[in-house]
Every structure is written in C-alpha cells, then in structure tokens.
C-alpha cells in the first residue's frame, strides 16, 4: 500500500470517529442523568433560606464568643477566689494560733495573780447580851463597787420584838 492510501484511511477513520462522538455521546450523557431546572421562585426561597442560616450562624458565633469570654472571666474569678480562700485559710490558722497563745497567756496571768475579793459578801450575825446570851439575829448582803462594798443588813431582836434595817459601807 502506498502512503497516500494510508493517509486516506486515517482521515476516514477519524472522520467516522468524530461523527460517532457527535451523534451518540449527547444521547448517552442525557440518557443517564435527568436534568432538573430550578424556577426563579425556588431560587429566591433557597437564597432566603441561605441568608437566614447565615444570620443564625453569625448570631451563634457571636453568642459562642460571648460565652467563651464569660468562661474566661469566670475562670479568672475562680482562680482569684481560690487564692483568696487560701489566704483567708492561712490568716484563720494564724489567728487561731494567736488566740490560743493569748488564752494560754491569760490562764498563766490569772494563776499568778493573788486571789481577789469576792463580788458579793453575805453575813450572818447573832446579837448577844451578857446576861441572857443570844437575843437576836441578823443577815446582810454587800456588793463590791470598785474597791468598796455597799450593802443592806436586816436584824431582829426577839427579846424586844424589834426589827431593824441597816445600810452598810465597807472599805
């Protein structure tokens, strides 16, 4: 065969191949997938839905940011509260120790002091006559005011059948 016949054969083959592609390829592609066309109303509705979802998404993002900031502030406050609790616990321990020391010191001081006079004095007395022995009785109560005592004493003489009340002062 000659070179010119081979060239014609190649051209003829390519021409047949292009014609087959031109006529049968669109039919094969369109037969496998149905085409759906969106109406203008559906497109508008999709756009509105998309815009709403974008608005909701941005609102949620803003709320998430606020929540993150609040969580950060809350964590900082919690850390500060823990530090303050530790400080107060330390101060409480120190104050308890100081209080215990003062209590012990007060006990030692009280032990070293001489006994002091009572706050209230009570007295019972008998009236004695040289010839007749006991002729009456008395009872008194005195309260300490500063370093002195002020009180009342009542007495009864059963021989004379007389009663008496006395105001007392002791220093």
């Amino acid at each position: 065969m000659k070179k010119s016949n081979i060239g014609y054969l190649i051209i003829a083959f390519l021409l047949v191949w292009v014609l087959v592609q031109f006529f049968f390829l669109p039919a094969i592609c369109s037969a496998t997938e149905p085409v759906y066309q969106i109406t203008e109303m559906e497109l508008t509705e999709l756009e509105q839905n998309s815009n709403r979802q974008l608005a909701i998404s941005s609102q949620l993002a803003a709320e998430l940011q606020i929540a993150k900031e609040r969580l950060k502030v809350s964590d900082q406050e919690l850390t500060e509260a823990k530090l303050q609790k530790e400080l107060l616990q330390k101060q409480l321990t120190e104050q308890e120790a100081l209080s215990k020391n003062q209590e012990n010191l007060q006990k030692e001081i009280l032990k070293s002091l001489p006994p002091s006079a009572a706050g209230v004095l009570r007295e019972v007395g008998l009236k004695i006559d040289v010839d007749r022995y006991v002729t009456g009785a008395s009872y008194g109560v005195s309260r300490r005011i500063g370093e002195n005592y002020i009180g009342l004493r009542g007495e009864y003489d059963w021989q004379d059948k007389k009663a008496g009340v006395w105001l007392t002062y002791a220093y």
Side-chain angles (χ1 to χ4, degrees):
M1 283 200 186
K2 290 185 173 179
K3 284 185 176 183
S4 64
N5 284 341
I6 293 177
Y8 287 125
L9 267 171
I10 292 174
I11 292 174
F13 177 73
L14 289 173
L15 188 60
V16 170
W17 184 74
V18 168
L19 286 173
V20 168
Q21 292 290 328
F22 182 74
F23 287 114
F24 293 113
L25 190 59
I28 292 171
C29 289
S30 66
T32 58
E33 262 183 59
V35 176
Y36 179 77
Q37 290 187 350
I38 296 176
T39 64
E40 189 176 334
M41 185 176 186
E42 290 173 330
L43 184 61
T44 304
E45 188 176 336
L46 284 172
E47 188 178 350
Q48 289 173 351
N49 288 343
S50 176
N51 288 339
R52 268 188 255 137
Q53 286 187 348
L54 281 173
I56 290 170
S57 176
S58 62
Q59 181 183 1
L60 288 174
E63 289 176 5
L64 179 63
Q65 184 64 30
I66 290 170
K68 283 180 181 179
E69 290 171 4
R70 287 182 181 166
L71 180 61
K72 185 178 178 182
V73 168
S74 177
D75 286 344
Q76 289 173 347
E77 289 174 350
L78 179 62
T79 303
E80 290 174 10
K82 285 181 181 178
L83 291 174
Q84 192 166 10
K85 176 188 169 198
E86 290 174 7
L87 177 65
L88 290 173
Q89 195 73 24
K90 183 180 176 184
Q91 289 176 347
L92 177 63
T93 305
E94 290 172 358
Q95 289 298 325
E96 285 175 345
L98 284 173
S99 176
K100 189 70 174 173
N101 287 342
Q102 283 183 340
E103 187 178 318
N104 290 338
L105 186 60
Q106 285 178 345
K107 286 179 183 177
E108 288 178 25
I109 290 171
L110 286 175
K111 286 179 186 177
S112 68
L113 290 176
S116 62
V120 176
L121 295 178
R122 291 174 184 80
E123 62 178 83
V124 176
L126 297 175
K127 188 175 182 182
I128 300 174
D129 188 2
V130 178
D131 296 333
R132 299 183 213 133
Y133 302 103
V134 179
T135 60
S138 67
Y139 177 77
V141 176
S142 298
R143 178 166 297 275
R144 182 173 165 196
I145 298 175
E147 295 182 15
N148 304 315
Y149 287 89
I150 296 177
L152 282 174
R153 181 174 60 207
E155 65 181 30
Y156 181 72
D157 187 335
W158 52 75
Q159 187 174 15
D160 296 336
K161 297 192 189 243
K162 289 184 180 179
V165 177
W166 296 80
L167 180 60
T168 62
Y169 175 77
Y171 55 96

